Amino acid sequence: MSNPVFERIQAEISENPVVLYMKGTAMFPQCGFSARVVQILMHMGVKFKAVNVLEDPSLREGIKQFTNWPTIPQLYVKGEFVGGCDIVTEMFQSGELAQLFAEKGVEYRPVTA
């Protein structure tokens, strides 16, 4: 049996190199965790698609089931689930996020300390 929410998520992460499922929009995040991930991506100059899960309750629950990850935001790079706010923050601070973008061929602005 097909799941239209899972199909939508699969299409979004297949068609966009970087996708952030978040609460609110990139211009107006509705939670601090979503705001932090947006801030990191913008600081790195990464183009990304932001998907507001607050607009669709089935998507809000579906994304958690899709990844088996209980929290939002959720970041995907080239179709691969990266993690939530804590993981993205740690990866940014350690340089792993820039390395991931480089390996996946995603354009970003190198950040110098």
Side-chain angles (χ1 to χ4, degrees):
M1 193 164 113
S2 68
N3 181 328
V5 174
F6 282 17
E7 289 171 10
R8 173 183 169 189
I9 293 166
Q10 189 61 57
E12 286 171 338
I13 65 174
S14 297
E15 294 166 8
N16 299 281
V18 182
V19 182
L20 178 63
Y21 290 89
M22 61 179 290
K23 293 178 181 175
T25 65
M27 294 304 293
F28 195 65
Q30 296 290 300
C31 84
F33 299 112
S34 292
R36 175 173 293 187
V37 176
V38 166
Q39 187 177 30
I40 289 169
L41 294 174
M42 293 180 113
H43 181 71
M44 294 183 76
V46 173
K47 292 182 178 146
F48 64 98
K49 176 175 182 170
V51 181
N52 183 359
V53 300
L54 299 177
E55 293 176 343
D56 184 348
S58 63
L59 179 61
R60 186 175 183 173
E61 287 309 308
I63 191 67
K64 296 174 187 178
Q65 295 167 4
F66 186 81
T67 53
N68 199 23
W69 189 262
T71 59
I72 294 165
Q74 294 187 13
L75 181 66
Y76 290 79
V77 176
K78 294 284 180 141
E80 180 183 319
F81 176 58
V82 176
C85 181
D86 291 347
I87 291 171
V88 171
T89 301
E90 288 172 20
M91 288 178 73
F92 170 69
Q93 291 170 342
S94 71
E96 285 179 79
L97 192 58
Q99 187 178 347
L100 175 68
F101 289 141
E103 288 170 5
K104 298 285 188 177
V106 173
E107 283 189 43
Y108 70 97
R109 180 175 47 243
V111 178
T112 53

